[in-house]
């Protein structure tokens, strides 16, 4: 019989969780509630005796100082409605899993198989609420019905029933394991129906390629040997759909593009990836020659570069957009713990040293109606922030750098970028750490979590637009602790040389990881019946493509397997041998004795012809705003400081542990009150060395409304100028590109596909051009190409977005520079020229205008200046440096001043100007977002040295740091155009998101 | 001379083992071993071979049953392979042998939930205080000024003048007692070693964010009456060098960070008393 243990706070103990829910009910749902109390509920489907239940309740399940407990008896009193929320059957229940383990320790005997402990939360609501109100609270706030279930009881019902009945959310595994054959000798319409109904996301052309493969007599003969007929099995079809999904195969980046520019010049581009991204790296590396620091690029889960002679750096940035749209918390949590596995599974394995996060949301205060399937941006914001918080903090990896970017089009799909860097020995057991291999005969081993129905069709579903019918099972919930345990074990197994190859199980699950591993040696034979399952009843195809989390796949030499498995047991990690690698050219899946998939490797990986993609660039023309000259811009500056894209994100950043591992040198916040926004992060991965890692990023989707070429150039420049600002070296720095696009494939649903494709081409062109000039090899990246929402009537496409991340080195972290003004009397310099470039700026966005005059990057001059600036940093002449980006000079100066706690006085007439003098006025000088500029302060005694180092570059002394507590800017005609107290400016900057 | 040996327990969600071991070495320990709990439960590593035990920060078992609850249960109930004892017996023997334990953040939570602190009357397995959710309801990473009680018996804080500046990084750091009598006994015994305070360390404070969690009497750290066991929410291992300070680029700071003194004191105590 199942039992319920309820745990409640003692009277007088503060219920922080209840208070937060109360605030959110009032804020989100505009309902008044008097009080919200919460209880923890454990449902035990176990064989515990009464004594043992009491020991569990009094021991691990409750805190005697602040809590009381009861077994099979309700504790709730004094409420009007009770809502209980737990997980749906089969959904990852981390608390339940820990509780089950605790019970096993307590009783000294393992839990019987099938026994379980399930966690739920009871919310007690007090106030004048209707049933409909409570229903709204339950579904709108307390419960995500995709993954959770809820029950509502009014106080009288609760009393009548004696509380909530015991309900065990166990998966009833009645499904009979079966393998279906699918008849592809059908009409085209029928082929498409098969693809659509099965969430296979295969096009008609692709279905027909599969159809003809199964007509090939040689293939049929091969299949016959293993008892398979002429029809593909569901395992095979699902495996092909996963392998060929946009998510895994990157068909758009691999496709052939017919590009036509605005002058009608036509060009055929065979693979954007090869033509631009890979070529960038190749060409930069060639030019670097002996100074080349790239070790492993584009071929592994993450890129690897040299750090010093003994260590290498690993970096990867991923997105997890579609799952985060459906379940923001679970999707984002899975995003961060998922990207952790990339560097961990790179080379022979690396230790994880930091995370980075960039989130793109719609306005959290959005007040217009939304299509029914979309969650409110504020809920996405809350969920994503919390998911990444839990994933990062619990994994013990500092979150050192990030951004929040706002644009209402991200209501269609939020973008959740998560990055993780790793650190590996240059040599592991005598071999380069970034290399790995598989020999035929090596065993296929899966470690970590078990397989369930979670995350089925994740790869194919994210290859489509979000729609009404997006599948529930595509969502997973991460479990950072299971993963951490696995990492603790595997990093030790690595050092003992117990495995030969490691990779992660991400999108596509075993189908993807084993499929790719089999490519290393030429085949595999795996028994899906051996895979450990969360609950019975999974069909073989589900086992193969499930994206259940926290799993790594390894190749273990047979002679090491005993030691590997024994060590896994000691560390409490599940490890299972599923089969072996072969060299017979076949991806061979069994279920017990029966062959369920027999796929020639060359067909899986090479069978798909490139997509044909039209692209036509027609530059958009926006209305050019006429800006009236103002006498005074103080109010405009304050408005800008409060704008979502500029304002302080401290309420979010403080929730992320940015200091764990002890290596933090430049933190996200700096300055006299620890609240000024740093440009980049500096971390020491080795605590007994002063060598540091620097990371930064650039992202500016607003510019895509004008031209993605310049959007991209600005993003790359922003990343590098942030990196340079804190002292990053230009001799060892690499880039990562993450493209998040709206669907660029011309179709009925996307009539403007050729334009969006042209935007993608232009972005790639800029990536090559700028990275070449900046000597930036690209070492890894990812694309996510279907960031649209479409429910048949409303379509929301995100603005094309490139996140450009950089990682590199600072030789001596003690020379790092922060952005806060340091001392009165310091000289203020602006490095770089300013131009009439307000197009796509935050300033124009204040009045809802886009404009056309997009900032253009002068890469040659910028690079030369960055190098000189780096020398200036190395020689200790720079007191502070802040990059100019959103909001231009005025915002940067305000931030530098209030972060430092000193005034700044600037004279706009001293700025260097570029281009037509007609556009030069106070407004453009203050707010133009011209690229490649830094605001630097220098102690007077270092003035000569600084200027000597910088000579030959565009820079000008434009003002001074003052004792007074105000920002004062003099306009071109000598009048004061900005004058404001630092307290006011800081308040304007901090107030917007402070309470979120 | 015999070696001074520190051990840092890791596994099941601890996070700060590397920097804690680094702090031990920097503080003067001849050896600092990072031991996975699996290696202790398997009998490969025994606590008896060490003088200073570090229970570090992290999220033991994800804090799923409340911070450190599941690990407290594990340590109390798990048996060590190959001998007749439970792990908890190694702990109580370690304490009885007069050795040192420092619990930081999640380690502090573990110590109070096992009942090791305040540890009156030689009873180190009796919970009377707790650490629970911050009043602000959120995880917080921020630096705090910590006023020291110079009359405290803690061996770790000897020689601290007014206070120290350290980061907190926790969601469950609010200190609470089961009764007023417990609180009074803590205060009478000067067991509340550190309190959240203003920048001048003059007055303890209940104001957020200087007091990041709303702890009773602004208590940030607790020791047992012998002073050899101490737990604290802030992270001393996170400030052992000036470049870890949030304002090192604008202030003149000594080479060593404020947190190092705890490890130096521990090493000195071990050298003088235990080897």
């Amino acid at each position: 019989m199942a039992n319920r243990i309820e745990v409640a706070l003692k009277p007088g103990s503060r219920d922080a969780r209840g208070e937060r829910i109360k605030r959110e009910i009032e804020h989100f749902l505009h309902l008044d509630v008097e009080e919200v109390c919460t209880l923890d509920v454990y449902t035990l489907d176990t064989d515990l005796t009464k004594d043992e239940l009491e020991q569990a309740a009094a021991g691990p399940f409750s805190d005697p100082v602040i809590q009381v407990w009861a077994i099979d008896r309700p504790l709730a009193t004094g409420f009007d409605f009770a809502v209980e929320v737990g997980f749906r059957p089969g959904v990852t229940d981390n608390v339940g899993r820990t509780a089950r383990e605790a019970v096993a320790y307590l009783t000294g005997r393992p839990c019987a198989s099938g026994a379980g402990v399930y966690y739920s939360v009871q919310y007690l609501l007090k106030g004048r609420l209707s049933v409909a109100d409570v229903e709204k609270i339950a579904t709108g706030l307390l419960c995500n019905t995709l993954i959770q279930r809820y029950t509502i009881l009014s106080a009288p019902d609760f009393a009548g029933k004696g509380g909530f009945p015991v309900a065990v959310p166990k998966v009833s595994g009645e499904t009979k394991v079966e393998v279906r054959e699918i008849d592809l000798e059908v009409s085209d319409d029928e082929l498409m129906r098969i693809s659509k109904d099965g969430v296979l996301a295969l096009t008609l052309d692709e279905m027909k390629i599969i159809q003809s493969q199964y007509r090939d007599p040689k293939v049929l003969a091969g299949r016959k040997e293993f008892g398979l007929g002429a029809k593909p099995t569901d395992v095979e079809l699902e495996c092909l759909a996963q392998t060929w999904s946009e998510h895994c195969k990157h068909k758009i980046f691999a496709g052939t593009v017919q590009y036509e520019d605005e002058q009608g010049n036509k060009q055929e581009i065979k693979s954007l990836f090869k033509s631009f991204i890979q070529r960038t790296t190749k060409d930069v590396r060639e030019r670097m020659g002996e100074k080349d620091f790239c070790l492993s690029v584009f071929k592994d889960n993450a890129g690897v570069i040299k750090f010093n002679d003994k260590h290498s750096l690993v970096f990867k940035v991923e997105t997890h957009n579609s799952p985060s749209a459906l379940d923001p918390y679970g999707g984002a949590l899975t995003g961060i713990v998922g990207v952790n596995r990339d560097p961990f599974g790179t080379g022979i394995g690396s230790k994880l040293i930091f995370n980075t996060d960039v989130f793109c949301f719609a306005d959290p205060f959005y007040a217009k109606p939304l299509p029914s399937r979309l969650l409110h941006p504020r809920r996405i914001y809350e969920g994503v922030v919390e998911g990444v918080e839990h994933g990062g903090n619990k994994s013990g990896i500092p979150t050192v750098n990030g951004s929040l970017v706002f644009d209402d089009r991200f209501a269609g799909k939020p973008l959740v970028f998560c990055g993780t860097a790793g650190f590996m020995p240059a040599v592991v057991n005598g071999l380069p750490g970034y290399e790995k291999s598989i020999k035929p005969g090596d065993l296929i081993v899966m470690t970590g979590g078990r397989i369930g129905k979670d995350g089925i069709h994740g790869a194919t579903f994210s290859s489509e637009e979000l729609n009404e019918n997006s599948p529930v099972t595509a969502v997973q919930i991460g479990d950072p602790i299971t993963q951490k345990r696995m990492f603790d074990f595997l990093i030790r197994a690595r050092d003992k040389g117990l495995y030969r190859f490691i990779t992660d199980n991400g999108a596509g699950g075993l189908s993807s990881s084993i499929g790719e591993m089999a490519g290393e040696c030429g085949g595999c034979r795996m028994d899906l019946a051996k895979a450990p399952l969360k609950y019975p009843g999974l069909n073989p195809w589900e086992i193969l493509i499930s994206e259940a989390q926290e799993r790594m796949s390894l190749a273990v030499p047979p002679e090491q397997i005993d030691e590997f498995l024994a060590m896994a047991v000691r560390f409490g990690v599940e490890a299972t041998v599923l089969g072996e690698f072969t060299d017979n050219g076949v991806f061979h899946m069994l279920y017990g004795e029966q062959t369920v998939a027999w796929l020639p490797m060359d067909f899986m990986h090479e069978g798909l012809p490139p997509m044909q993609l039209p692209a036509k660039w027609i530059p958009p023309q926006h209305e050019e705003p006429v800006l009236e000259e103002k006498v005074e811009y103080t109010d405009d500056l304050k408005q800008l400081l409060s704008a979502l894209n500029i304002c302080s994100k401290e309420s979010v950043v403080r929730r992320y542990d940015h200091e764990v591992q002890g290596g933090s040198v430049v933190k996200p916040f700096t300055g006299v009150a620890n609240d000024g926004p740093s440009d980049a992060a500096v971390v020491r991965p080795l605590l007994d060395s002063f060598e540091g890692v620097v990371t930064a990023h650039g992202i500016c989707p607003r510019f895509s409304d004008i031209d993605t070429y310049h959007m991209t150039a600005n993003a790359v420049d922003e990343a590098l100028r942030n990196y340079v600002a804190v002292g990053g070296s230009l001799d060892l720095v690499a880039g990562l590109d993450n493209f998040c696009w709206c669907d660029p494939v011309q179709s009925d649903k996307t009539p403007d596909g050729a334009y969006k494709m042209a935007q993608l081409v232009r972005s790639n062109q800029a990536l090559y051009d700028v990275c070449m000039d900046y000597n930036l090899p690209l070492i890894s990246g990812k694309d996510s190409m279907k960031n649209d929402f479409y429910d048949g009537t409303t379509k929301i496409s995100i603005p094309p977005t490139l996140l450009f991340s950089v990682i590199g080195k600072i030789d001596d972290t003690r020379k790092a520079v922060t952005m806060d003004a340091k001392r009165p009397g310091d000289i203020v310099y602006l490095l770089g020229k300013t131009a009439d470039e307000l197009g796509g700026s935050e300033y124009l966005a204040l009045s809802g205008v886009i404009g056309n005059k997009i900032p253009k990057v002068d890469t040659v001059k910028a690079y030369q200046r960055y190098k000189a600036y780096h020398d200036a940093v190395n020689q200790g002449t720079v007191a502070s440096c802040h990059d100019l980006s959103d909001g231009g000079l005025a915002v940067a100066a305000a931030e530098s001043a209030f972060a430092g706690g000193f005034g700044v006085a600037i004279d706009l007439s001293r700025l260097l100007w570029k281009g037509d003098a007609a556009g030069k006025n106070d407004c453009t000088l203050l707010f133009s977002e011209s690229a490649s500029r830094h605001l630097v302060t220098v102690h007077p005694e270092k003035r000569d040295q600084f200027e000597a180092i910088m000579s030959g570059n565009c820079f000008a002394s434009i003002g001074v740091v003052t004792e007074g507590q105000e920002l004062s800017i003099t306009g071109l005609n000598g009048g004061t155009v900005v004058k404001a107290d630092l307290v006011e400016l800081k308040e304007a900057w901090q107030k917007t998101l402070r309470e979120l | 001379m015999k070696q001074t040996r520190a051990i840092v327990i890791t596994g099941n969600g601890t996070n700060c083992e590397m920097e804690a071991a680094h702090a031990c070495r920097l503080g003067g320990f001849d050896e600092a071993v990072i031991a996975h709990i699996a290696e202790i439960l398997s009998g490969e590593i025994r606590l008896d071979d060490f003088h200073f035990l570090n229970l570090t920060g992290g999220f033991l078992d994800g804090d799923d049953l409340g911070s450190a609850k599941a690990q407290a249960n594990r340590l109390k109930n798990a048996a060590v392979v190959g001998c007749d004892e439970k792990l908890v017996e190694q702990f109580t023997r370690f304490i009885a042998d007069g050795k040192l334990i420092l619990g930081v953040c999640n380690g502090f939570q573990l110590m109070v939930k096992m009942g090791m602190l305040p540890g009156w009357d030689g009873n180190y397995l009796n919970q009377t205080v707790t650490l629970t959710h911050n009043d602000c309801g959120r995880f917080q990473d921020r630096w705090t000024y910590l006023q020291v009680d110079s009359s405290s018996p803690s061996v770790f804080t000897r020689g601290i003048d007014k206070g120290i500046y350290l980061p907190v990084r926790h969601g469950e750091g609010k200190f609470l007692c089961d009764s007023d009598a417990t609180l009074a006994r803590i205060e009478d015994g000067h067991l509340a070693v550190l309190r959240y305070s203003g920048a001048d360390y003059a007055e303890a404070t209940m104001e957020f964010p200087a007091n990041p969690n709303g702890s009773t009497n602004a208590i940030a750290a607790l020791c047992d009456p012998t002073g050899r066991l101490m737990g604290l929410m802030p992270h001393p291992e996170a400030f052992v060098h000036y470049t870890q300070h949030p304002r090192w680029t604008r202030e003149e700071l000594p080479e060593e960070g404020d947190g190092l003194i705890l490890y130096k004191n521990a090493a000195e105590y071990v050298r003088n008393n235990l080897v």
Side-chain angles (χ1 to χ4, degrees), chain A residues 62-63 98 659 661 818 820, chain B residues 19 64 69 130 141 249-250:
Chain A
S62 71
D63 183 328
T98 302
E659 297 179 273
Q661 300 191 12
T818 55
D820 45 319
Chain B
E19 58 269 38
D64 285 337
K69 285 291 293 180
T130 198
D141 179 337
T249 58
R250 57 185 295 123

Side-chain angles (χ1 to χ4, degrees), chain A residues 302-441:
Chain A
V304 188
I305 58 173
K306 183 177 166 172
F307 179 70
N308 58 24
D309 289 340
K310 288 187 176 157
H311 297 276
S312 311
L313 275 174
V314 188
F315 198 21
K316 176 62 172 273
V317 182
E318 274 274 11
T319 48
H320 222 227
N321 309 333
S322 301
S324 302
L326 293 181
D327 172 20
Y329 175 81
L333 173 59
T334 310
I336 188 71
V337 295
V339 77
N340 287 168
R341 289 193 301 273
D342 280 321
F344 195 89
T346 293
I348 201 70
S350 72
K351 179 182 169 298
L352 309 179
I353 56 168
F354 63 76
N355 289 333
T356 60
D357 305 313
V358 174
F359 308 141
C360 301
F361 299 136
D363 184 346
F365 309 106
Y366 193 82
K368 286 171 271 180
L370 282 165
S372 65
R373 186 65 190 262
L374 295 178
L375 296 174
H376 190 276
R378 167 90 181 245
R379 221 174 143 195
I380 293 187
Y381 176 108
E382 298 273 349
V384 167
V385 167
E386 188 165 351
V388 176
E389 173 195 327
H390 287 175
N393 290 357
K394 290 187 177 183
S395 304
I397 303 163
T399 301
V400 299
N401 187 246
S403 274
L404 289 170
V405 178
F406 295 93
D407 184 301
D408 281 349
R409 287 168 284 180
F410 292 119
K413 240 189 213 181
L415 303 183
V416 177
F417 298 92
C418 298
T420 302
F423 201 65
M424 61 163 63
V427 176
V428 179
N429 298 312
L431 295 168
Y434 57 87
E435 282 183 1
K436 52 189 166 187
S437 63
I438 298 179
K439 291 190 176 154

Side-chain angles (χ1 to χ4, degrees), chain A residues 549-799:
Chain A
Q549 292 291 296
E550 293 80 43
R551 295 181 292 145
M552 302 296 286
S553 291
L554 298 102
V556 178
E559 62 273 19
Q560 307 280 22
I561 191 69
D562 292 343
E563 193 178 346
F564 183 91
L565 295 177
M567 191 172 169
V569 170
R570 258 197 339 272
F571 279 76
V573 176
E574 193 153 24
T576 314
V577 177
L578 300 180
E580 61 184 0
F581 291 99
T582 65
D583 55 4
N584 63 10
V586 178
F587 183 79
H588 187 176
M589 295 294 109
L590 296 134
Y591 191 84
E593 300 289 304
Q594 184 194 354
T595 291
V596 295
W598 188 90
L599 290 165
M601 300 284 301
D602 53 357
F603 178 65
M604 276 175 80
H605 295 298
E606 313 294 338
L608 202 58
M611 250 176 147
Q612 297 296 320
L613 299 154
K616 188 166 173 23
W617 174 242
I618 302 166
Q621 272 304 316
H622 300 283
E623 196 181 323
E624 190 56 42
V626 182
L627 298 170
E628 52 170 317
E629 284 274 325
K630 297 185 188 176
V631 186
E632 232 263 339
Y633 290 94
T634 307
D635 283 346
D636 286 358
L637 172 58
K638 284 185 189 165
Q639 270 192 60
L640 270 178
L641 287 168
S642 300
L644 281 168
N645 282 322
I646 293 174
C647 72
S648 172
K649 315 297 187 296
E650 188 170 355
S651 60
V652 172
V653 176
R654 293 265 172 230
R655 293 169 63 181
Y656 295 154
D657 187 334
H658 48 259
E659 297 179 273
V660 63
Q661 300 191 12
S664 149
V665 176
V666 174
K667 303 179 201 295
F669 286 97
T670 187
V672 66
N674 302 343
D675 59 5
S678 292
D679 290 333
V682 180
V683 171
R684 280 190 303 150
L686 299 166
L687 296 177
D688 49 11
S689 159
F690 291 111
E691 292 167 291
V693 183
V694 182
T695 190
H697 68 272
I699 184 168
C700 29
R702 280 174 297 112
F703 292 147
S704 293
D705 290 331
I706 302 174
D707 187 346
T708 49
Y709 183 93
H710 298 293
M711 176 279 283
T712 301
N714 277 287
V716 176
D717 181 65
E718 184 183 14
L720 195 67
R721 74 177 180 260
N722 277 320
Y723 169 90
V724 165
V726 298
S729 160
L730 290 162
D731 292 333
L732 203 163
V733 55
L736 284 87
D737 55 281
N738 282 78
F739 286 88
C740 280
W741 234 249
C742 36
D743 188 1
V745 181
Q746 185 88 20
S747 72
D748 292 345
K749 275 190 290 193
T750 311
D752 54 351
Y755 174 71
K756 289 170 172 169
M757 194 64 215
Q759 288 184 302
L760 186 63
V761 171
R762 293 186 62 75
S763 175
N764 275 274
Q765 289 170 333
L767 193 63
Y768 179 82
D769 295 347
V770 177
C771 289
M772 280 304 289
D773 286 350
Y774 282 172
N775 268 319
L776 265 175
L778 301 168
I779 56 166
S780 182
K782 200 70 189 264
D783 58 275
S784 163
M785 304 305 293
K786 307 274 171 162
N787 293 293
D788 309 85
F789 170 83
Y790 186 54
D791 63 1
T793 49
T794 310
K795 178 159 183 171
I796 307 175
S797 295
I798 66 150

Side-chain angles (χ1 to χ4, degrees), chain A residues 17 39-43 85-87 93 95-96 117-121 149 169, chain B residues 64-65:
Chain A
R17 180 171 55 183
L39 276 74
D40 297 307
V41 181
Y42 299 91
T43 301
V85 179
F87 289 108
D93 177 355
V95 180
V117 181
Y118 305 90
Y119 177 66
S120 39
V121 179
R149 68 210 147 82
Chain B
D64 285 337
L65 307 176

